[in-house]
Amino acid sequence: MNHIESLRSFKAISALGQAQRVTLAALLAIATLLISPMAALAHHPSGGETPSNAFEGFLSGLGHPVVGLDHLAFVIAAGLLAAAMGRGLTIPIAFVVASLAGTGIHLMSIELPAPEFMISASVLLFGILLALKNQPNGLLVTALAAIAGLFHGFAYGEAIFGAEMGPLVAYLLGFASIQMAIALGAYWIAKRLRSGSDAGALNLRFAGFALAGVGFAFLSGVVL
């Protein structure tokens, strides 16, 4: 009996160690964001120049969700949350499709209210949802992902505003594909964590707390 209890204690300590490592890595990531405001707020991989051909448009589309670290954090959160909730890729797909619509809204010169605030708030919200012990309603989360996609896509539209059709289509293809690739990667990692042990779910919750911290940092920057 003592041997069994010792084994359980060892597993608990190992699980806690994994969670602490995840938390430490997340805190380092947050620190990097806070000390690199120019990178976090650049939001334009081509240095402010509108792409002039399809190749430049595609590269710009690939870079925008990565250079904009608030966008990157949300895409990761969407992939992790999709795996945690067991809803397949419905959540990231809803986000990506809506982000295409959001870019279209920007290109039509239709304004959305407080886009930077909403983008930062979406990262905070999805981090909180991932950190919750009890899973939220799947349809509600999918709807929230679509709403967030409109605002993220609206921000993406700034980099391609005024471009010709060729660069525009390539840009849309670029940012849609990179977002799905990132979400798929996060989804796959989360599925592996959840299937490995009970500690996997705990690690995902810690990742949620870390992403919520990232969202709070961005939101504070927007508000202040």
Side-chain angles (χ1 to χ4, degrees):
M1 190 69 179
N2 290 335
H3 176 70
I4 295 175
E5 291 178 355
S6 298
L7 182 60
R8 288 176 178 173
S9 298
F10 176 76
K11 288 182 178 180
I13 293 172
S14 299
L16 180 59
Q18 290 178 356
Q20 288 175 331
R21 286 194 293 272
V22 171
T23 305
L24 178 59
L27 290 174
L28 290 174
I30 294 171
T32 301
L33 295 181
L34 292 175
I35 64 177
S36 305
M38 292 304 293
L41 298 176
H43 288 265
H44 206 311
S46 53
E49 297 293 330
T50 301
S52 59
N53 55 58
F55 180 71
E56 290 180 359
F58 184 71
L59 290 182
S60 182
L62 288 178
H64 200 139
V66 178
V67 173
L69 296 180
D70 45 0
H71 302 307
L72 177 60
F74 185 89
V75 175
I76 292 172
L80 294 177
L81 190 57
M85 296 182 63
R87 294 188 61 84
L89 295 172
T90 305
I91 293 171
I93 288 175
F95 169 75
V96 172
V97 171
S99 69
L100 292 171
T103 300
I105 289 173
H106 192 132
L107 296 177
M108 290 187 292
S109 298
I110 300 174
E111 293 295 323
L112 291 181
E116 291 299 327
F117 177 89
M118 296 298 292
I119 289 168
S120 300
S122 70
V123 179
L124 173 60
L125 175 60
F126 267 57
I128 293 173
L129 292 176
L130 182 60
L132 291 176
K133 184 175 182 180
N134 297 320
Q135 294 181 351
N137 181 274
L139 291 177
L140 175 61
V141 174
T142 302
L144 290 172
I147 294 171
L150 291 176
F151 287 91
H152 284 259
F154 182 86
Y156 294 156
E158 184 65 28
I160 199 67
F161 194 86
E164 296 181 355
M165 185 58 66
L168 172 59
V169 172
Y171 178 79
L172 296 175
L173 179 62
F175 84 65
S177 59
I178 192 64
Q179 287 183 118
M180 280 307 304
I182 294 169
L184 277 170
Y187 179 84
W188 180 81
I189 291 172
K191 293 290 284 186
R192 290 291 298 269
L193 283 174
R194 284 179 62 83
S195 63
S197 66
D198 293 338
L202 181 61
N203 285 339
L204 286 179
R205 292 188 64 201
F206 272 102
F209 284 117
L211 288 166
V214 172
F216 180 78
F218 279 118
L219 190 60
S220 298
V222 171
V223 173
L224 298 177

